[in-house]
Amino acid sequence: MKFSLLAFWMLSLPLLSANLAGAAEKTAPRDEISRRDEVPPLLRAMLLDYRRYAETLWQQPAALNDAEAMGFWGSGRGEGGNEGARAVTNTALVYALLFREGDRNFPIAQRVAPALRYTAATHVSGTLKGTDGKQWGNSWQSAMWAGNLGVAAWLVRDQLDQGTLMAVRRVVAAEANRFIDKKPPTMAPGDTKAEEIAWDLTASSSALLLMPDHANAAAWHQTVLRYGFNALAVEADKSSTQVADGKPLREWISTVQQNPDFTLENHGFFHPVYAMIAPATMAQAAVAYRLGGRPVPQALQHNVLKGWDMLRYVALPDGEWLYPQGLDWDLHDYEHLHYWTMLGTLYRDPLATLLEKRIAGYARRRQIVNGDGRFVGPSSNLGFAREAVQAERVAFSFLMHQVFGALATAAVTDAVQWQRAVGGMQPARAFNGAGFVVHRTSRGVLSFSWENHLMGLAAPQSQTHLDAPYVTTPLVTSLAGRFTLEGQDARDARRFQVQRHAVQTDKDGFAAAIETNINNGLLRQHIAVASVQPGILVYIDRVVAQQDVTVSEEQGLPLGIQNDENSGNRRYLHTQSGTQTIIGGQAQQIGIQGNWANVDGRLGVIALNTSLLYNAAGKHNRPGAREDTLFGSWRRGAQPFKAGDTVAQRTGLWLLNSRREETAKVAASAAIERGKDGIMVRFTAPDNRRHALLLGADGIARWNDRAVTPVRSLP
């Protein structure tokens, strides 16, 4: 069934607004300085629905209730990581916020107070152990858990007994005190500490909120400043004389967490999730400052907007991200909702306001589809932990709307606002810090990555398809593909090292030449890739054996296609043989006749002189989604090659927002020329311009009238 986002908004918002207004009349929220708009009622609905799910996880063992009531959601483990204290404190925050907003279905003594007592008692400063026989605290992330514990307690402080408040203060103070004399860590290759630094400072901001007159209050504030300035630091900050929060910036900075172009790498690759989570977490600390009547320090805003200027290039019209180097968390978990809220409220960015509205609608839609209050649901392998993290983000989005004041708005339509926002950006931009290039075209976004993950992506524009925005997925082997060699394990098969590369950009797109060792050096791959308006990516590669090898499978020119309940659960595959409906979850392989295929009239794929194959997945096969794969070149079966032999030569084109007739026409115009100088593909674009890409025998790429000569890559 097609789910209309527009219809959803029209039906739901009046009802939700009425419910919220009714609750406000019964009990006006305390400490309120909010401006109501259309998003908070949706956020409140999400929190109420999440609470319905959380109720199925509540436990209050009799053995814990001899002296005073204690309980928890989930497993109750002490060292449970994301599923232990973190999930419990996040959920307590939701219950406390709903109570503060006038919902009285669960008195504080029934859920929040028992959860706060249990969490405080199982901290290393307490006397109780979790259900796993362990305690939590003094560890990675535990400062953040304590920070949310403190905010939850503060929201309902007049409903808590002194014993519970004292226990919470003990935990929050203990975690905040850890950082008084501690320097923030610096990043390692592929492992920023930005999010950890931001997490760590939230214990101190929460301690200030709960205990403003404590003897360590001034020291906690200094921790927030020191850690805040370092969370998003770049090398240039170390020498900056700009004065912020009373001192030159260089006196605050002791670390580097981002590349000079403000890209940020974590888990070994450029990760938009972590690029946004550090500033969004600092905004959570800013919420605590505002709730306590304090101004937001400059430290909590340092480099936030510079990072946003970078992230604009991977922001999509529906509010999601392009992931140029892949994603290892749940796809479409919408955990960056509070990032958009932060930018729209604290920083008054009208584009962020638009994207927040859109992403909130999709998050609520997915929750409704799940039917039980979960945000991501059964496709996630993290269970309660994932749901509780998203609940925390929704709760802080709600609080940001209250404490940061009116949203930035523009007196234009949403479509005009989006066009204005992207109109001032470079059409194509290379981010050499992390090693990828992005081209924002009129039909969508194209990218290619030569560091961390060797891959290309295509995201058809969703601005005119907001009811069905998702087509492709961030498959980490996308475009460049993968070879399975006999006798080689999967880890070695993924290892590559770029030897030479060059990337050029102009107003019409990008062109790149890459020479890389793949399969841990057993194969060498030469790549020429280019993009051009109105939204075409053209690719040629040549793969040569470096040693004698036997290839058991080639997965060439792959493209991930989302096909699950969050994307309509069906795809229409158009080929020269006709149209076939691919129902999500029905595993099958479809060999494609001819040299082109088209998915839903949204994406055209052309492969010259290789065999196209559509592989439909039978189950959710990536976190958060079910991913089908459309291969431009695929073969299976042992095939030996001698050192120096050509293992594969592939040529492909991707066409964004292309209908089947257009895809067929471009395919008919495409031709390959092979000779001693290399491999060339010529084609005519939909705007009738003729283009040519050559992958030379010398590894030089020639795109139309210019050469792209790869140079030795730095180790």
Side-chain angles (χ1 to χ4, degrees), residues 333-345:
D333 58 15
Y334 310 114
E335 64 175 321
H336 55 291
L337 168 63
H338 65 327
Y339 179 74
W340 296 138
T341 309
M342 170 199 73
L343 290 171
T345 55

Side-chain angles (χ1 to χ4, degrees), residues 381-654:
N381 56 15
L382 296 174
F384 176 41
R386 164 51 61 209
E387 306 301 334
V389 168
Q390 179 62 2
E392 173 208 23
R393 309 287 164 79
V394 175
F396 272 104
S397 285
F398 194 95
L399 285 167
M400 288 177 197
H401 276 273
Q402 291 188 337
V403 303
F404 294 147
L407 287 166
T409 57
V412 295
T413 65
D414 288 353
V416 170
Q417 175 58 37
W418 172 257
Q419 291 304 320
R420 281 184 180 178
V422 300
M425 298 165 62
Q426 296 173 230
R429 182 174 172 184
F431 293 92
N432 293 304
F436 66 91
V437 62
V438 175
H439 183 194
R440 304 189 68 95
T441 78
S442 58
R443 293 188 178 190
V445 186
L446 298 164
S447 69
F448 190 80
S449 164
W450 62 91
E451 293 289 344
N452 301 319
H453 292 140
L454 190 66
M455 59 184 289
L457 285 183
Q461 66 90 5
S462 55
Q463 174 62 36
T464 57
H465 297 272
L466 291 173
D467 283 344
Y470 312 131
V471 180
T472 59
T473 62
L475 178 68
V476 294
T477 59
S478 186
L479 189 63
R482 180 171 293 167
F483 292 89
T484 302
L485 305 183
E486 287 190 358
Q488 185 175 60
D489 64 30
R491 179 176 296 182
D492 282 345
R494 291 192 295 269
R495 287 178 174 161
F496 74 97
Q497 185 174 27
V498 174
Q499 304 298 302
R500 299 190 300 157
H501 82 280
V503 179
Q504 297 179 4
T505 62
D506 62 18
K507 62 181 179 59
D508 210 26
F510 64 78
I514 314 289
E515 179 183 328
T516 178
N517 290 335
I518 61 174
N519 288 77
N520 204 25
L522 296 182
L523 303 175
R524 178 163 290 189
Q525 189 172 20
H526 301 265
I527 295 170
V529 59
S531 70
V532 67
Q533 289 283 9
I536 300 175
L537 186 142
V538 54
Y539 174 93
I540 304 172
D541 74 4
R542 179 176 62 250
V543 181
V544 179
Q546 298 292 90
Q547 300 178 26
D548 293 354
V549 296
T550 298
V551 176
S552 57
E553 185 177 22
E554 175 207 350
Q555 297 181 355
L557 306 180
L559 181 63
I561 305 295
Q562 187 171 347
N563 193 3
D564 55 22
E565 61 282 354
N566 206 34
S567 60
N569 222 37
R570 70 183 60 215
R571 292 295 178 194
Y572 297 100
L573 180 65
H574 308 293
T575 69
Q576 70 175 33
S577 302
T579 298
Q580 186 167 350
T581 302
I582 313 295
I583 303 299
Q586 295 184 4
Q588 57 180 317
Q589 284 192 337
I590 302 169
I592 296 171
Q593 298 297 314
N595 66 354
W596 65 271
N598 183 284
V599 179
D600 286 3
R602 299 282 302 283
L603 181 68
V605 175
I606 298 169
L608 302 176
N609 294 347
T610 52
S611 300
L612 287 152
L613 177 81
Y614 192 100
N615 186 68
K619 59 183 180 180
H620 291 95
N621 54 351
R622 67 168 297 137
R626 183 168 49 243
E627 179 179 73
D628 296 347
T629 310
L630 176 55
F631 294 101
S633 179
W634 182 88
R635 60 186 174 183
R636 178 178 291 168
Q639 189 171 0
F641 295 91
K642 295 291 186 181
D645 287 351
T646 297
V647 175
Q649 291 183 350
R650 288 87 62 95
T651 304
L653 291 88
W654 289 346

Side-chain angles (χ1 to χ4, degrees), residues 61-184:
L64 294 176
N65 290 270
D66 290 341
E68 55 185 352
M70 292 188 187
F72 50 83
W73 296 273
S75 67
R77 296 167 59 195
E79 280 192 349
N82 290 327
E83 198 275 332
R86 182 178 187 180
V88 174
T89 55
N90 289 354
T91 304
L93 175 66
V94 170
Y95 278 68
L97 179 57
L98 287 172
F99 185 89
R100 178 177 180 265
E101 286 301 299
D103 185 277
R104 297 294 184 263
N105 286 322
F106 289 90
I108 295 305
Q110 190 174 351
R111 292 288 186 271
V112 175
L116 297 183
R117 293 187 197 109
Y118 179 81
T119 306
T122 54
H123 185 256
V124 293
S125 64
T127 59
L128 190 67
K129 292 183 179 180
T131 56
D132 56 353
K134 299 177 181 178
Q135 293 182 311
W136 69 277
N138 290 351
S139 64
W140 181 69
Q141 281 197 359
S142 63
M144 173 180 58
W145 309 341
N148 285 345
L149 179 74
V151 173
W154 186 89
L155 290 174
V156 292
R157 59 197 181 281
D158 60 350
Q159 299 289 317
L160 297 174
D161 61 274
Q162 283 303 304
T164 301
L165 271 175
M166 288 178 62
V168 171
R169 287 169 180 157
R170 164 179 50 80
V171 172
V172 177
E175 290 289 333
N177 288 341
R178 292 169 51 203
F179 304 98
I180 288 177
D181 297 316
K182 187 177 181 180
K183 287 186 177 181

